[in-house]
């Protein structure tokens, strides 16, 4: 399993030796080893330099030891190490010091102009010293100045340019890896945040889905069962007097019972989908899914898409005439008028408008039995309006139907959830009016 950037940094901090400027023990061991080798080299070269410069051998060896030991500072002070190698070019010592120091400088975060300047200084200094040495060794009588210069330039370039180029490549690669690691860490944090937000939204969606199912269950049960109770009462009243009408009422009760069962099955199917969504959330909470936040987001998106598809199943405005006919069959004097050019709306909009009319008619059955009722449906291009208004009830007798007081609240929640307006209340004539205006959510999404 791959480590995140924070884990790598934590592991590095825990493994750090705490020795001065080194992050790891092996870095300190490597630098000390290189410094010891450089000290040995510079000590031998300092002994030769002492003979040529006519100074005590001990002074030459001490100079070589001091110069070679500066290689231990290459990570902390790369510029100073390269300046020392430039300063001792005339002494012809510090070959290892020059190679490693220049490589370290080029691989560091020092500005490029400083790297180019110091590399050029070392190149020019080395070229001069090598040219003079070759000139004195070969002699002017055996070779031309151009040949000596070409040989000196070739030798100097072969010792200065490769470590500089290698250091620049290693430094660029290291910076690229660090940038990629930081970007990866940032993406991981963003994906984790996105997954958390997706989980929060999924939890909110589950709550909304439960509330929606509760409203659907209330509308289905309240309306169908209310009509069944009304027809059952009528059936009881005419069972002996008019057997034919009693038979019709019994058939209507059976049809309404079957319709209620069909809608209840649909609701139960949505409930099972909601349980599946909860199972997705539980699966996403496992450690395996937590390691893949993008997969978690995809799972919640798929669950949301499935929820939208199940929400599309439901009654439409085209079934409004059938709904009114059922109320008429139950003895309600109800009129339906349709205004505007009939057009299709989003499924959730038509379903909400249908449920508002359904619940309003149910309330009329419960609280205003026998009252004359008018149902208006208006198509207004980008919105649909419904209104159910009943006159004052003929009698104040109780229908015997239970009422939980959630009908109007459920209608208002449905309409306002889609950005519409809902108004309900008594009329001046003693009746009751329910009005709702619902915008088409498809057009709203297009405009956005």
């Amino acid at each position: 399993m791959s480590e995140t950037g924070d884990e790598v940094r934590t592991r590095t901090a825990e493994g750090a030796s705490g020795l001065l400027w080194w992050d790891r023990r092996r870095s300190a061991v490597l630098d000390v080893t290189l410094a010891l080798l450089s000290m040995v080299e510079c000590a031998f070269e300092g002994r030769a330099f002492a003979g040529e410069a006519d100074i005590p051998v001990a002074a030459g060896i001490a100079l070589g030891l001091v110069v070679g030991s500066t290689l231990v500072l290459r990570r902390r002070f790369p510029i100073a190490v390269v300046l020392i190698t430039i300063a001792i070019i005339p002494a012809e010592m510090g070959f290892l010091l020059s190679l490693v120091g220049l490589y370290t400088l080029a691989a560091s975060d020092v500005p490029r102009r400083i790297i180019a300047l110091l590399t050029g200084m070392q190149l020019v200094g080395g070229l001069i010293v090598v040219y003079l040495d070759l000139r004195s060794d070969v002699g002017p009588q055996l070779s031309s100045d151009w040949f000596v210069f070409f040989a000196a330039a070739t030798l100097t370039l072969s010792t200065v340019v490769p470590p500089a180029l290698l250091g620049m490549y290693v430094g660029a690669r290291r910076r690229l890896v660090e940038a990629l690691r930081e970007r990866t860490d940032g993406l991981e944090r963003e994906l984790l945040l996105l997954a958390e937000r997706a989980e929060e939204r999924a939890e909110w969606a589950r709550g909304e889905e439960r509330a929606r199912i509760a409203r659907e269950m209330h509308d289905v049960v309240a309306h169908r069962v209310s009509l069944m109770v009304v027809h059952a009462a009528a059936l009881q009243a005419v069972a002996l007097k008019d057997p034919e009408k009693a038979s019709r009422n019994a058939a209507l009760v059976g049809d309404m019972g079957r319709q209620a069962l069909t809608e209840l099955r649909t609701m139960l199917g949505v409930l099972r989908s909601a349980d599946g969504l909860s199972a997705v959330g539980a699966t996403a909470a496992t450690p395996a899914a937590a390691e893949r936040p993008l997969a978690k987001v995809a799972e919640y998106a798929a669950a949301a898409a499935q929820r939208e598809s199940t929400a599309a199943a439901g009654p439409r405005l085209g079934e409004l005439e059938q709904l009114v006919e059922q109320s008429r069959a139950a003895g309600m004097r109800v009129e339906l008028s349709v205004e505007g050019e009939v057009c299709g709306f989003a499924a959730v909009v038509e379903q909400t408008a249908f449920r508002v009319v359904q619940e309003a008619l149910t309330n009329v059955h419960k609280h205003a039995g026998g009252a004359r009722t008018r149902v208006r449906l208006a198509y207004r291009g980008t919105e649909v309006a419904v209104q159910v208004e009943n006159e004052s009830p003929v009698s104040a007798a109780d229908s015997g139907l239970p009422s939980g007081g959630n009908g109007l609240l459920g209608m208002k929640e449905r309409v306002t959830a889609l950005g519409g307006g809902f108004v309900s209340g008594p009329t001046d004539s003693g009746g009751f009016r329910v009005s709702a205006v619902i915008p088409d959510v498809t057009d709203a999404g297009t405009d956005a």
Side-chain angles (χ1 to χ4, degrees):
M1 183 176 61
S2 59
E3 296 177 319
T4 63
D6 294 337
E7 291 173 348
V8 171
R9 284 190 290 271
T10 301
R11 179 174 53 81
T12 302
E14 291 176 351
S17 61
L19 297 175
L20 300 177
W21 52 85
W22 289 288
D23 294 334
R24 294 174 293 182
R25 289 185 180 275
R26 62 180 182 181
S27 299
V29 172
L30 176 61
D31 288 355
V32 171
T33 302
L34 290 175
L36 291 175
L37 294 176
S38 180
M39 290 171 63
V40 174
E41 177 203 351
C42 291
F44 280 103
E45 293 171 345
R47 183 175 181 179
F49 173 71
E52 295 176 359
D54 196 18
I55 60 175
V57 175
I61 295 175
L63 176 62
L65 293 174
V66 173
V67 170
S69 65
T70 58
L71 192 57
V72 78
L73 305 174
R74 68 184 186 96
R75 298 179 191 268
R76 188 71 174 87
F77 305 105
I79 297 178
V81 173
V82 174
L83 287 176
I84 291 174
T85 62
I86 295 174
I88 63 172
I89 287 177
E92 299 183 14
M93 67 170 64
F95 178 75
L96 179 61
L97 178 66
S98 174
L99 292 179
V100 178
L102 190 58
Y103 163 82
T104 305
L105 176 67
S108 66
D109 295 330
V110 175
R112 294 291 180 85
R113 62 179 183 275
I114 297 178
I115 297 175
L117 176 62
L118 295 180
T119 302
M121 292 173 60
Q122 187 165 347
L123 184 63
V124 172
L127 178 61
I128 295 174
V129 172
V130 173
Y131 174 80
L132 294 177
D133 287 346
L134 291 178
R135 182 71 176 175
S136 61
D137 293 341
V138 176
Q141 69 280 5
L142 298 179
S143 179
S144 64
D145 291 340
W146 286 109
F147 176 78
V148 174
F149 179 80
F150 177 77
T154 302
L155 183 60
T156 305
L157 288 173
S158 63
T159 58
V160 174
V161 174
L165 293 179
L166 180 60
M168 293 178 65
Y169 166 76
V170 172
R173 183 175 179 275
R174 182 173 61 245
R175 286 188 290 271
L176 176 61
V177 171
E178 291 176 354
L180 291 176
R181 183 181 292 113
E182 291 178 358
R183 178 178 295 183
T184 301
D185 294 343
L187 289 175
E188 287 181 356
R189 288 190 293 270
E190 291 178 5
L191 287 176
L192 288 174
L193 180 61
L194 184 61
E196 291 175 359
R197 291 180 178 176
E199 188 173 0
E200 292 175 359
R201 183 166 182 82
E203 183 63 29
W204 172 84
R206 284 193 289 269
E208 289 293 316
E209 188 69 11
R210 285 191 291 268
R212 187 184 74 84
I213 293 172
R215 289 193 296 266
E216 291 288 330
M217 295 286 286
H218 173 270
D219 293 342
V220 170
V221 174
H223 181 74
R224 301 295 182 190
V225 174
S226 297
L227 290 181
M228 291 172 65
V229 170
V230 172
H231 282 290
L235 176 62
Q236 183 179 8
V238 301
L240 298 178
K241 299 179 182 180
D242 191 349
E244 184 178 353
K245 186 176 181 180
S247 177
R248 289 198 302 269
N249 286 343
L252 287 174
V253 171
D255 290 340
M256 291 177 187
R258 283 187 289 271
Q259 292 176 2
L261 287 176
T262 300
E263 294 194 27
L264 284 174
R265 289 192 188 99
T266 303
M267 291 300 101
L268 291 176
V270 176
L271 279 172
R272 281 191 288 268
S273 299
D275 292 339
L277 179 60
S278 300
V280 169
T283 302
T286 60
E291 297 172 1
R292 299 180 293 109
L294 191 59
K296 178 192 272 188
V297 176
E299 289 175 353
Y300 284 129
Q306 181 182 4
R307 186 175 61 254
E308 291 296 331
S309 64
T310 57
R316 307 297 287 266
L317 290 177
E319 305 174 24
L320 206 56
E321 180 66 33
Q322 181 182 359
L323 179 67
V324 172
E325 286 295 333
Q326 292 175 353
S327 293
R328 288 172 182 165
M332 179 185 294
R333 294 178 297 168
V334 56
E335 299 176 0
L336 172 64
S337 63
V338 180
E339 303 173 4
E341 183 179 356
V342 178
C343 56
F345 290 91
V348 65
V349 174
E350 294 196 13
Q351 182 178 349
T352 300
F354 182 93
R355 293 303 188 193
V356 169
V357 176
Q358 184 184 56
E359 179 61 27
L361 292 178
T362 302
N363 288 340
V364 174
H365 281 292
K366 290 181 179 180
H367 309 294
R372 188 178 185 86
T373 306
R374 290 182 296 274
V375 179
R376 296 178 56 193
L377 170 64
Y379 292 93
R380 301 177 181 174
T382 59
E383 62 183 16
V384 60
V386 292
Q387 183 183 84
V388 179
E389 180 179 353
N390 64 275
E391 297 178 352
S392 177
V394 178
S395 64
D398 189 5
S399 63
L401 296 172
S403 176
N406 297 319
L408 294 176
L409 178 61
M411 286 189 281
K412 184 175 182 180
E413 289 177 350
R414 284 179 180 274
V415 175
T416 55
L418 298 178
F422 178 83
V423 177
S424 64
T427 61
D428 295 337
S429 60
F432 199 85
R433 181 188 297 119
V434 172
S435 302
V437 179
I438 309 169
D440 190 2
V441 294
T442 303
D443 292 341
T446 305
D447 296 340

